[in-house]
Amino acid sequence: MRRAAVLAVIGAVAGALIGAGIAACWTEGRKSAPEAIGPVPTAEQIAWQEDEVWAFVHFGPNTFTDSEWGYGDADPAVFNPTALDCRQWVRTFKAAGIKGVILTAKHHDGFCLWPSAYTDYSVAASPFRDGGGDVVGELARACKEHGLKFGVYLSPWDRHQASYGTSDYVRYYQNQLRELLTNYGTISEVWLDGANGGDGWYGGARETRTIDRRTYYHFPAIHAIIHELQPGALIFSDGGPGCRWVGNERGAASETNWSFLRDGVVYPGYPFERELGPGHEDGDVWIPAECDVSIRKGWFYHPGEDGAVKTPEQLAELYYRSVGRNGKLLINFPVDREGLVHPIDSANAVEAHRIVSGQLGNDLLSGARVRASETRGLRYRASRVSDARPATFWAPKDSTREASLVFTLKKKKTLDRVLLQENIALGQRVKSFTIEYSDGSDWHPVPTQEQMTTIGYKRIVRFDPVEATALRISITDARACPCISSVQAFLADAGL
Ligand code: FUL
């Protein structure tokens, strides 16, 4: 009995001490949490970036007339997909690791893929499902069934409508937006294209119309409608406000890529495209870069491009140039005349996903010992970068702008890429960094031409293979103390 009582007391004391220790660590962590440095992303912007890859679908009369920019006078009778199956699109996207899809509900030609109450220039006037079809509705349903997010592209420029250029057209546009945002469930992204080419059919006028890109569409009112009807939707345009165009249609972000813009500077059709790649380092609003690119040359389907689909290797390269540079990849699938993702496009996208997953599948730093030049407490210790939990991170003291992490490998390993992530909920901080490896006796920079400037959500640096016993990541400048949530290293070939 006495022995049991003594053990119980020891147990209670030990429990209290452990409890107090945990509480002390917790308090220490709480006290020393780094403050966010603005601008910071919304929860929706973080989720948008974590999705990494979305699909774009360009589909409409252009698909059947072999054109890219329909003039607005194509007969609705040309729109006649014979085997349309949005579930096939969605299954393909899922197999390719894609998390959402944006459909051209209306492209510049003005033809609507849903039976809009505001025009007869739509699927309702076509032979598709005897005029009873609704491509927007079919895709929205397929996405819901398969757990994919859904977004709409509604071209502000409309080469069909006679009213284009007047305030009647702006009301028409807003009404259509309301239809799309009310009748099709959750919309996660609205794509506001910046193209305004000028000439068009315009109800038979066949003329060139120019509008003031800054003021004509009343974008603040359009944004307000989107926020009202779909508060979780991100608004894409050249200048956001949800996410920005990356400034090219090659699917490539800049190596230096700040997720900020100066408020109110960039509008749809903004002429200084080169600013959009790096963003504005001194920006005051969080507007991350979206990298759009087509799997083929054109955005719409052209039978002549069946032999020129980007290869799996080219598509994998796009992942590194977009997601690997703090961007989001939006890859376009020109759905074909049957109404299906073409088998070549589908096979190449799925294979590209397999390649990237293999190359980034085996973190060679897992199990390595990691030491930081400095930390701000237990909660922010160096090993946080290896715990596979995005919410935890390593951070030094508030005043620190230069700090390093050294990973000591259990045995010599060949590496050719390093993946870094910041905890972006607290803002994007790192301005420059270096990656060095030790061959067992000396430190050397990894052999690469890549700039090591910003990190952001994700940065993947590729280099010629090196044999390393240790790896050193040094943050050499930052806007505030760095908060690094992940460091991983890989050998690409090992995963294939
Ligand atoms: C551009 C448009 O003019 C193209 O047709 C395509 O939709 C592309 C994604 O955006 O501005």
Side-chain angles (χ1 to χ4, degrees):
M1 279 300 279
R2 282 198 20 215
R3 211 177 111 104
V6 168
L7 284 176
V9 169
I10 292 173
V13 170
L17 286 175
I18 291 168
I22 289 171
C25 293
W26 188 76
T27 328
E28 174 201 14
R30 290 275 292 185
K31 252 195 307 199
S32 62
E35 270 186 35
I37 172 163
V40 289
T42 62
E44 286 82 14
Q45 285 172 317
I46 295 177
W48 172 92
Q49 191 128 26
E50 286 174 348
D51 281 350
E52 298 198 348
V53 187
W54 270 40
F56 215 173
V57 170
H58 278 64
F59 188 47
N62 294 345
T63 309
F64 302 86
T65 57
D66 220 0
S67 43
E68 278 290 309
W69 276 13
Y71 192 62
D73 61 347
D75 185 338
V78 301
F79 186 78
N80 191 17
T82 47
L84 183 116
D85 180 3
C86 292
R87 293 197 179 96
Q88 182 260 0
W89 310 1
V90 165
R91 281 196 304 272
T92 300
F93 301 152
K94 286 209 83 160
I98 286 168
K99 300 291 179 359
V101 52
I102 297 173
L103 173 68
T104 53
K106 180 183 87 166
H107 200 251
H108 310 329
D109 64 1
F111 183 85
C112 300
L113 292 183
W114 80 104
S116 171
Y118 300 96
T119 180
D120 52 11
Y121 198 54
S122 78
V123 278
S126 80
F128 168 61
R129 307 226 191 287
D130 293 325
D134 180 348
V135 184
V136 176
E138 290 193 30
L139 183 55
R141 265 196 307 282
C143 285
K144 199 165 176 204
E145 272 170 32
H146 290 270
L148 224 70
K149 293 180 193 162
F150 180 52
V152 288
Y153 170 120
L154 184 69
S155 171
W157 184 29
D158 189 318
R159 304 173 95 188
H160 179 81
Q161 288 301 315
S163 63
Y164 184 77
T166 69
S167 53
D168 277 356
Y169 174 76
V170 177
R171 267 191 299 281
Y172 169 81
Y173 184 87
Q174 294 187 356
N175 285 333
Q176 293 203 318
L177 194 57
R178 284 186 180 279
E179 276 183 323
L180 289 173
L181 302 185
T182 308
N183 299 334
Y184 297 100
T186 304
I187 304 288
S188 300
E189 187 166 334
V190 179
W191 230 78
L192 302 177
D193 198 295
N196 278 295
D199 66 325
W201 184 70
Y202 304 127
R206 296 184 179 277
E207 61 190 13
T208 296
R209 293 184 183 172
T210 43
I211 47 94
D212 182 333
R213 293 174 172 203
R214 262 177 195 276
T215 56
Y216 173 60
Y217 297 108
H218 294 282
F219 281 116
I222 288 173
H223 297 170
I225 292 172
I226 299 168
H227 290 316
E228 174 205 328
L229 298 175
Q230 296 281 347
L234 244 60
I235 302 173
F236 166 96
S237 83
D238 288 5
C243 55
R244 73 175 192 264
W245 187 40
V246 74
N248 66 72
E249 291 182 341
R250 295 187 308 278
S254 299
E255 287 177 325
T256 301
N257 180 4
W258 293 101
S259 291
F260 324 140
L261 288 180
R262 289 190 287 275
D263 198 12
V265 171
V266 182
Y267 53 90
Y270 185 70
F272 306 105
E273 294 172 357
R274 277 209 217 116
E275 277 177 36
L276 300 181
H280 296 149
E281 182 177 347
D282 59 352
D284 45 3
V285 273
W286 185 277
I287 308 183
E290 184 169 272
C291 310
D292 61 327
V293 61
S294 189
I295 196 165
R296 293 165 175 237
K297 190 161 163 287
W299 293 99
F300 284 90
Y301 179 76
H302 308 286
E305 292 179 0
D306 283 353
V309 180
K310 289 189 176 63
T311 62
E313 292 71 24
Q314 287 170 325
L315 295 171
E317 178 67 27
L318 289 180
Y319 177 87
Y320 287 106
R321 291 183 186 209
S322 54
V323 179
R325 295 179 185 167
N326 189 32
K328 166 129 176 206
L329 179 58
L330 182 63
I331 176 150
N332 179 64
F333 292 81
V335 161
D336 68 16
R337 291 178 181 171
E338 285 189 284
L340 300 172
V341 175
H342 192 279
I344 301 174
D345 306 29
S346 165
N348 290 8
V350 172
E351 175 61 8
H353 177 53
R354 196 191 66 82
I355 292 175
V356 172
S357 309
Q359 292 182 340
L360 303 178
N362 180 21
D363 176 15
L364 298 172
L365 297 183
S366 95
R369 200 188 65 207
V370 51
R371 293 257 184 280
S373 57
E374 178 194 320
T375 79
R376 64 190 295 128
L378 200 56
R379 191 167 169 163
Y380 304 99
R381 61 191 179 276
S383 61
R384 293 305 203 194
V385 301
S386 303
D387 65 6
R389 289 161 62 200
T392 64
F393 54 93
W394 158 69
K397 298 189 189 85
D398 282 336
S399 57
T400 300
R401 302 289 178 269
E402 290 177 67
S404 58
L405 289 169
V406 174
F407 297 83
T408 308
L409 302 171
K410 285 197 182 123
K411 59 180 187 2
K412 204 174 227 183
K413 287 184 180 168
T414 313
L415 316 171
D416 66 2
R417 53 203 69 196
V418 163
L419 183 156
L420 303 165
Q421 292 188 278
E422 288 187 75
N423 184 284
I424 55 170
L426 294 175
Q428 188 181 347
R429 295 160 176 249
V430 174
K431 289 186 185 183
S432 59
F433 61 96
T434 60
I435 305 175
E436 297 158 294
Y437 71 99
S438 169
D439 54 15
S441 38
D442 296 311
W443 287 103
H444 310 277
V446 292
T448 183
Q449 299 299 316
E450 291 194 35
Q451 282 176 35
M452 294 190 224
T453 45
T454 54
I455 295 177
Y457 162 70
K458 188 172 277 188
R459 181 68 206 276
I460 305 171
V461 177
R462 291 176 290 170
F463 44 87
D464 297 338
V466 295
E467 296 218 343
T469 57
L471 195 69
R472 181 160 66 195
I473 312 293
S474 304
I475 308 302
T476 48
D477 197 7
R479 295 169 64 237
C481 71
C483 297
I484 306 295
S485 57
S486 179
V487 181
Q488 300 174 59
F490 304 95
L491 176 64
D493 281 350
L496 291 178

Coordinates of all heavy atoms in Angstrom, one line a residue, residues 233-301:
A233 N -15.3 34.0 -53.6 CA -14.7 33.9 -54.9 C -13.6 34.8 -55.0 O -13.6 36.0 -54.6 CB -15.8 34.2 -56.0
L234 N -12.5 34.4 -55.6 CA -11.4 35.3 -55.9 C -11.6 35.9 -57.3 O -12.0 35.2 -58.2 CB -10.1 34.5 -56.0 CG -9.1 34.8 -54.9 CD1 -9.7 34.6 -53.5 CD2 -7.8 33.9 -55.0
I235 N -11.3 37.2 -57.4 CA -11.5 37.9 -58.7 C -10.1 38.0 -59.4 O -9.2 38.6 -58.8 CB -12.1 39.3 -58.5 CG1 -13.4 39.2 -57.7 CG2 -12.2 40.0 -59.8 CD1 -14.0 40.5 -57.3
F236 N -10.0 37.4 -60.5 CA -8.8 37.5 -61.4 C -9.0 38.7 -62.3 O -10.0 38.8 -62.9 CB -8.6 36.2 -62.2 CG -7.5 36.4 -63.3 CD1 -6.2 36.1 -63.1 CD2 -7.9 37.0 -64.5 CE1 -5.3 36.3 -64.1 CE2 -6.9 37.3 -65.5 CZ -5.6 36.9 -65.3
S237 N -7.9 39.5 -62.4 CA -7.8 40.4 -63.6 C -6.3 40.8 -63.6 O -5.6 40.3 -62.8 CB -8.7 41.6 -63.4 OG -8.0 42.6 -62.6
D238 N -6.0 41.6 -64.6 CA -4.6 42.0 -64.7 C -4.1 42.5 -63.3 O -2.9 42.3 -62.9 CB -4.4 43.1 -65.7 CG -4.6 42.6 -67.1 OD1 -4.9 41.4 -67.3 OD2 -4.3 43.4 -68.1
G239 N -5.0 43.2 -62.6 CA -4.5 43.8 -61.3 C -5.3 43.2 -60.1 O -5.4 43.9 -59.1
G240 N -6.0 42.1 -60.2 CA -6.7 41.5 -59.1 C -8.1 42.0 -59.0 O -8.7 42.3 -60.1
P241 N -8.7 42.2 -57.8 CA -8.1 42.2 -56.5 C -7.8 40.8 -55.9 O -7.0 40.8 -54.9 CB -9.2 42.9 -55.7 CG -10.5 42.6 -56.3 CD -10.2 42.5 -57.8
G242 N -8.3 39.7 -56.4 CA -8.0 38.4 -55.8 C -6.7 37.8 -56.2 O -5.9 37.4 -55.3
C243 N -6.4 37.9 -57.5 CA -5.2 37.4 -58.0 C -4.9 38.1 -59.3 O -5.8 38.6 -59.9 CB -5.1 35.9 -58.2 SG -6.5 35.2 -59.2
R244 N -3.6 38.2 -59.7 CA -3.2 39.0 -60.8 C -2.7 38.2 -62.0 O -2.3 37.0 -61.8 CB -2.2 40.1 -60.4 CG -0.8 39.4 -60.2 CD 0.3 40.5 -60.0 NE 1.7 40.0 -60.0 CZ 2.4 39.6 -59.0 NH1 1.8 39.6 -57.8 NH2 3.6 39.1 -59.2
W245 N -2.8 38.7 -63.2 CA -2.2 38.1 -64.3 C -0.7 38.2 -64.1 O -0.2 39.2 -63.7 CB -2.6 38.9 -65.6 CG -2.1 38.2 -66.9 CD1 -2.1 36.9 -67.1 CD2 -1.7 38.9 -68.0 NE1 -1.6 36.7 -68.4 CE2 -1.4 37.9 -69.0 CE3 -1.5 40.2 -68.4 CZ2 -0.9 38.2 -70.3 CZ3 -1.0 40.5 -69.7 CH2 -0.7 39.5 -70.6
V246 N 0.0 37.2 -64.6 CA 1.5 37.1 -64.4 C 2.2 38.0 -65.5 O 3.4 38.2 -65.4 CB 2.0 35.7 -64.3 CG1 2.0 35.0 -65.7 CG2 3.3 35.6 -63.7
G247 N 1.4 38.4 -66.5 CA 2.0 39.3 -67.5 C 2.5 38.6 -68.8 O 3.0 39.2 -69.7
N248 N 2.3 37.3 -68.9 CA 2.6 36.6 -70.1 C 1.6 35.4 -70.2 O 1.0 35.0 -69.2 CB 4.1 36.1 -70.2 CG 4.4 35.0 -69.1 OD1 3.9 33.9 -69.2 ND2 5.1 35.4 -68.1
E249 N 1.5 34.8 -71.4 CA 0.7 33.6 -71.5 C 1.5 32.4 -71.8 O 1.1 31.4 -72.4 CB -0.3 33.9 -72.7 CG -1.3 34.9 -72.3 CD -2.4 35.2 -73.4 OE1 -2.2 34.8 -74.5 OE2 -3.4 35.8 -73.0
R250 N 2.7 32.4 -71.2 CA 3.6 31.2 -71.3 C 3.6 30.3 -70.0 O 4.3 29.4 -69.9 CB 5.1 31.7 -71.5 CG 5.3 32.4 -72.8 CD 6.8 32.7 -73.1 NE 7.4 33.3 -71.9 CZ 7.3 34.7 -71.7 NH1 6.7 35.4 -72.5 NH2 7.9 35.2 -70.6
G251 N 2.8 30.8 -69.0 CA 2.7 30.0 -67.8 C 3.9 30.1 -66.9 O 4.2 29.2 -66.1
A252 N 4.7 31.2 -67.1 CA 5.9 31.3 -66.3 C 5.9 32.6 -65.4 O 5.6 33.7 -65.8 CB 7.1 31.5 -67.3
A253 N 6.1 32.3 -64.1 CA 6.3 33.4 -63.2 C 7.7 34.0 -63.2 O 8.6 33.3 -63.7 CB 5.9 33.0 -61.8
S254 N 7.9 35.1 -62.6 CA 9.3 35.6 -62.5 C 10.0 34.9 -61.3 O 9.3 34.6 -60.3 CB 9.3 37.1 -62.2 OG 8.6 37.8 -63.2
E255 N 11.3 34.8 -61.4 CA 12.0 34.2 -60.3 C 11.8 35.1 -59.0 O 11.6 34.6 -57.9 CB 13.5 34.0 -60.6 CG 13.6 32.8 -61.6 CD 15.0 32.6 -62.1 OE1 15.8 33.6 -62.2 OE2 15.3 31.4 -62.3
T256 N 11.9 36.4 -59.2 CA 11.5 37.3 -58.2 C 10.0 37.6 -58.3 O 9.6 38.1 -59.3 CB 12.3 38.7 -58.3 OG1 13.7 38.4 -58.3 CG2 11.9 39.6 -57.2
N257 N 9.3 37.1 -57.3 CA 7.8 37.2 -57.4 C 7.2 37.6 -56.1 O 7.0 36.8 -55.2 CB 7.3 35.9 -58.0 CG 5.8 35.9 -58.1 OD1 5.1 36.9 -57.9 ND2 5.2 34.7 -58.4
W258 N 6.9 38.9 -56.0 CA 6.2 39.4 -54.8 C 4.7 39.2 -55.0 O 4.2 39.6 -56.1 CB 6.5 40.8 -54.5 CG 8.0 41.0 -54.1 CD1 9.0 41.5 -54.9 CD2 8.6 40.8 -52.9 NE1 10.2 41.5 -54.2 CE2 9.9 41.1 -53.0 CE3 8.1 40.3 -51.6 CZ2 10.8 40.9 -51.9 CZ3 8.9 40.1 -50.6 CH2 10.3 40.4 -50.7
S259 N 4.0 38.8 -54.0 CA 2.5 38.6 -54.1 C 1.8 39.9 -53.8 O 0.7 39.9 -53.2 CB 2.0 37.5 -53.2 OG 2.5 36.3 -53.6
F260 N 2.5 41.0 -54.1 CA 1.8 42.3 -53.8 C 1.8 43.2 -55.0 O 2.6 43.2 -55.9 CB 2.7 43.2 -52.8 CG 3.4 42.4 -51.7 CD1 4.7 42.8 -51.4 CD2 2.8 41.4 -51.0 CE1 5.4 42.2 -50.3 CE2 3.5 40.7 -50.0 CZ 4.8 41.1 -49.7
L261 N 0.8 44.1 -55.0 CA 0.7 45.3 -55.9 C 0.4 46.5 -55.1 O -0.2 46.5 -54.1 CB -0.4 45.1 -57.0 CG -0.2 44.0 -58.0 CD1 -1.4 43.9 -58.9 CD2 1.1 44.2 -58.8
R262 N 0.8 47.7 -55.7 CA 0.4 48.9 -55.1 C -1.1 49.1 -55.5 O -1.5 48.9 -56.6 CB 1.3 50.1 -55.7 CG 2.7 50.1 -55.2 CD 3.4 51.3 -55.6 NE 3.8 51.4 -57.0 CZ 4.8 50.8 -57.5 NH1 5.7 50.2 -56.8 NH2 5.0 50.9 -58.8
D263 N -1.8 49.5 -54.5 CA -3.3 49.6 -54.6 C -3.7 50.5 -55.7 O -3.2 51.7 -55.8 CB -3.8 50.1 -53.2 CG -5.3 49.7 -53.1 OD1 -5.8 49.0 -54.0 OD2 -6.0 50.2 -52.2
G264 N -4.6 50.1 -56.5 CA -5.2 50.9 -57.5 C -4.4 51.3 -58.8 O -4.8 52.1 -59.6
V265 N -3.2 50.7 -58.9 CA -2.3 51.0 -60.0 C -2.7 50.2 -61.2 O -2.8 50.7 -62.4 CB -0.8 50.8 -59.6 CG1 0.1 51.0 -60.8 CG2 -0.4 51.8 -58.5
V266 N -2.8 48.9 -61.1 CA -3.0 48.0 -62.2 C -4.5 47.8 -62.5 O -5.3 47.4 -61.6 CB -2.3 46.6 -62.0 CG1 -2.5 45.7 -63.2 CG2 -0.8 46.9 -61.7
Y267 N -4.9 48.0 -63.7 CA -6.3 47.7 -64.1 C -6.4 46.8 -65.3 O -5.3 46.6 -66.0 CB -7.0 49.1 -64.5 CG -6.3 49.9 -65.5 CD1 -6.5 49.7 -66.8 CD2 -5.2 50.7 -65.1 CE1 -5.8 50.4 -67.8 CE2 -4.5 51.4 -66.1 CZ -4.8 51.3 -67.4 OH -4.0 51.9 -68.4
P268 N -7.5 46.2 -65.6 CA -7.5 45.3 -66.8 C -7.1 46.0 -68.1 O -7.7 47.0 -68.4 CB -9.0 44.8 -66.8 CG -9.5 45.0 -65.4 CD -8.8 46.2 -64.9
G269 N -6.1 45.5 -68.7 CA -5.6 46.1 -70.0 C -4.4 47.0 -69.6 O -4.0 47.7 -70.5
Y270 N -3.9 47.0 -68.4 CA -2.8 47.8 -68.0 C -1.6 47.5 -68.9 O -1.2 46.3 -69.2 CB -2.4 47.3 -66.6 CG -1.3 48.1 -65.9 CD1 -1.5 49.4 -65.5 CD2 -0.1 47.5 -65.6 CE1 -0.5 50.1 -64.8 CE2 0.9 48.2 -64.9 CZ 0.7 49.5 -64.5 OH 1.7 50.1 -63.9
P271 N -1.0 48.6 -69.5 CA 0.0 48.3 -70.5 C 1.4 47.9 -70.1 O 2.2 47.4 -70.9 CB 0.1 49.7 -71.2 CG -0.4 50.7 -70.2 CD -1.3 50.0 -69.3
F272 N 1.7 48.0 -68.8 CA 3.1 47.7 -68.4 C 3.2 46.3 -67.8 O 3.3 46.0 -66.6 CB 3.6 48.7 -67.3 CG 3.4 50.1 -67.8 CD1 2.4 50.9 -67.3 CD2 4.3 50.6 -68.8 CE1 2.2 52.2 -67.8 CE2 4.1 51.9 -69.3 CZ 3.1 52.7 -68.8
E273 N 3.0 45.3 -68.8 CA 2.9 43.9 -68.4 C 4.1 43.4 -67.6 O 4.0 42.5 -66.8 CB 2.7 43.0 -69.7 CG 1.4 43.3 -70.3 CD 1.2 42.7 -71.7 OE1 2.1 42.0 -72.2 OE2 0.1 42.8 -72.3
R274 N 5.3 44.0 -67.9 CA 6.5 43.5 -67.3 C 6.5 43.7 -65.7 O 7.1 43.0 -65.0 CB 7.7 44.2 -67.8 CG 8.1 43.5 -69.1 CD 9.6 43.6 -69.3 NE 9.8 43.7 -70.8 CZ 10.3 44.8 -71.3 NH1 10.7 45.8 -70.6 NH2 10.4 44.9 -72.6
E275 N 5.7 44.6 -65.3 CA 5.6 44.8 -63.8 C 4.8 43.7 -63.1 O 5.0 43.5 -61.9 CB 4.8 46.1 -63.5 CG 5.5 47.4 -63.6 CD 4.6 48.6 -63.3 OE1 3.7 48.5 -62.5 OE2 4.8 49.6 -64.0
L276 N 4.0 43.0 -63.9 CA 3.1 42.0 -63.3 C 3.9 40.7 -62.9 O 3.4 40.0 -62.0 CB 2.0 41.6 -64.3 CG 1.1 42.8 -64.6 CD1 0.0 42.4 -65.5 CD2 0.6 43.5 -63.4
G277 N 5.0 40.4 -63.5 CA 5.8 39.2 -63.2 C 6.3 39.4 -61.7 O 5.9 38.6 -60.8
P278 N 7.2 40.3 -61.5 CA 7.8 40.5 -60.2 C 6.8 41.0 -59.1 O 7.0 40.9 -57.9 CB 8.9 41.4 -60.4 CG 8.7 42.1 -61.7 CD 7.9 41.2 -62.5
G279 N 5.7 41.7 -59.6 CA 4.8 42.4 -58.6 C 5.5 43.6 -58.1 O 6.6 44.0 -58.6
H280 N 4.9 44.3 -57.2 CA 5.5 45.5 -56.6 C 6.0 45.2 -55.2 O 5.2 44.9 -54.3 CB 4.4 46.6 -56.5 CG 3.9 47.1 -57.8 ND1 2.6 47.5 -57.9 CD2 4.5 47.2 -59.0 CE1 2.4 47.9 -59.2 NE2 3.5 47.6 -59.9
E281 N 7.3 45.2 -55.1 CA 7.9 44.9 -53.7 C 7.4 45.8 -52.6 O 7.2 45.3 -51.5 CB 9.4 45.0 -53.8 CG 10.1 44.6 -52.5 CD 11.6 44.6 -52.6 OE1 12.2 44.7 -53.7 OE2 12.2 44.5 -51.5
D282 N 7.1 47.0 -53.0 CA 6.6 47.9 -52.0 C 5.0 48.0 -52.0 O 4.4 49.0 -51.6 CB 7.2 49.3 -52.2 CG 6.8 49.9 -53.6 OD1 6.3 49.1 -54.4 OD2 7.1 51.1 -53.8
G283 N 4.4 47.0 -52.6 CA 2.9 47.0 -52.7 C 2.2 46.9 -51.4 O 2.8 46.5 -50.4
D284 N 1.0 47.4 -51.4 CA 0.2 47.4 -50.1 C -1.0 46.5 -50.1 O -1.8 46.5 -49.2 CB -0.1 48.8 -49.7 CG -0.7 49.6 -50.8 OD1 -0.9 49.1 -51.9 OD2 -1.0 50.8 -50.6
V285 N -1.2 45.8 -51.2 CA -2.3 44.8 -51.2 C -1.8 43.4 -51.7 O -0.9 43.4 -52.6 CB -3.5 45.2 -52.1 CG1 -4.5 46.1 -51.4 CG2 -3.1 45.9 -53.4
W286 N -2.3 42.4 -51.1 CA -1.9 41.0 -51.5 C -2.6 40.6 -52.7 O -3.8 40.3 -52.7 CB -2.2 40.1 -50.3 CG -1.6 38.7 -50.5 CD1 -2.2 37.7 -51.2 CD2 -0.4 38.1 -50.0 NE1 -1.5 36.5 -51.2 CE2 -0.3 36.8 -50.4 CE3 0.6 38.7 -49.2 CZ2 0.7 36.0 -50.1 CZ3 1.7 37.8 -48.9 CH2 1.8 36.5 -49.4
I287 N -1.9 40.4 -53.9 CA -2.5 40.0 -55.1 C -1.5 39.1 -55.8 O -0.6 39.5 -56.6 CB -2.8 41.2 -56.0 CG1 -3.6 42.3 -55.2 CG2 -3.6 40.8 -57.3 CD1 -4.1 43.5 -56.0
P288 N -1.6 37.8 -55.5 CA -0.6 36.8 -56.0 C -0.8 36.6 -57.5 O -1.8 36.9 -58.1 CB -0.9 35.6 -55.2 CG -2.3 35.7 -54.8 CD -2.6 37.2 -54.7
A289 N 0.3 36.0 -58.1 CA 0.3 35.8 -59.6 C -0.3 34.5 -60.1 O 0.1 33.5 -59.6 CB 1.7 36.0 -60.1
E290 N -1.2 34.6 -61.1 CA -1.7 33.4 -61.7 C -1.1 33.3 -63.1 O -1.1 34.2 -63.9 CB -3.2 33.5 -61.8 CG -3.8 32.3 -62.4 CD -5.4 32.3 -62.2 OE1 -5.9 31.9 -61.2 OE2 -6.0 32.8 -63.2
C291 N -0.6 32.1 -63.4 CA 0.2 31.9 -64.7 C -0.7 31.1 -65.6 O -0.8 29.8 -65.5 CB 1.5 31.1 -64.4 SG 2.4 31.8 -63.0
D292 N -1.3 31.7 -66.6 CA -2.2 31.0 -67.6 C -1.4 30.6 -68.8 O -0.5 31.4 -69.3 CB -3.4 31.8 -67.9 CG -3.1 33.2 -68.6 OD1 -2.1 33.8 -68.2 OD2 -3.9 33.6 -69.4
V293 N -1.7 29.5 -69.3 CA -1.0 28.9 -70.5 C -1.9 27.8 -71.1 O -2.6 27.2 -70.4 CB 0.4 28.3 -70.1 CG1 0.3 27.2 -69.1 CG2 1.2 27.9 -71.3
S294 N -1.8 27.6 -72.4 CA -2.6 26.6 -73.0 C -1.7 25.3 -73.2 O -0.5 25.4 -73.5 CB -3.2 27.0 -74.3 OG -4.1 26.0 -74.8
I295 N -2.3 24.2 -73.1 CA -1.6 22.9 -73.3 C -1.2 22.8 -74.8 O -0.4 22.0 -75.2 CB -2.4 21.7 -72.8 CG1 -1.6 20.4 -72.7 CG2 -3.7 21.5 -73.7 CD1 -2.2 19.3 -71.9
R296 N -2.0 23.6 -75.7 CA -1.7 23.6 -77.1 C -1.3 25.1 -77.4 O -1.3 25.9 -76.5 CB -2.9 23.3 -77.9 CG -3.3 21.8 -77.8 CD -4.6 21.5 -78.3 NE -4.9 20.1 -78.2 CZ -5.2 19.3 -79.2 NH1 -5.4 19.9 -80.4 NH2 -5.4 18.1 -79.1
K297 N -1.0 25.4 -78.7 CA -0.7 26.7 -79.1 C -1.9 27.7 -78.8 O -1.8 28.7 -78.2 CB -0.3 26.7 -80.5 CG 0.3 28.0 -81.0 CD 1.1 27.7 -82.3 CE 1.4 29.0 -83.0 NZ 0.2 29.6 -83.7
G298 N -3.1 27.3 -79.3 CA -4.2 28.1 -79.2 C -5.0 27.9 -77.9 O -4.8 26.8 -77.2
W299 N -5.9 28.8 -77.6 CA -6.7 28.6 -76.4 C -7.9 27.7 -76.8 O -8.4 27.0 -75.9 CB -7.3 30.0 -75.9 CG -6.2 30.8 -75.4 CD1 -5.5 31.8 -76.0 CD2 -5.5 30.7 -74.1 NE1 -4.5 32.3 -75.2 CE2 -4.5 31.7 -74.0 CE3 -5.7 29.8 -73.0 CZ2 -3.7 31.8 -72.9 CZ3 -4.9 30.0 -71.9 CH2 -3.9 31.0 -71.8
F300 N -8.4 27.8 -78.1 CA -9.5 27.0 -78.5 C -9.0 25.8 -79.3 O -7.8 25.8 -79.8 CB -10.5 27.8 -79.4 CG -11.3 28.7 -78.5 CD1 -10.9 30.0 -78.2 CD2 -12.6 28.3 -78.0 CE1 -11.7 30.8 -77.4 CE2 -13.3 29.1 -77.2 CZ -12.9 30.4 -76.9
Y301 N -9.8 24.8 -79.5 CA -9.4 23.6 -80.2 C -9.3 23.8 -81.7 O -10.1 24.4 -82.3 CB -10.5 22.5 -80.0 CG -10.1 21.2 -80.7 CD1 -9.1 20.4 -80.2 CD2 -10.7 20.9 -81.9 CE1 -8.8 19.2 -80.8 CE2 -10.4 19.7 -82.6 CZ -9.4 18.9 -82.0 OH -9.0 17.8 -82.7

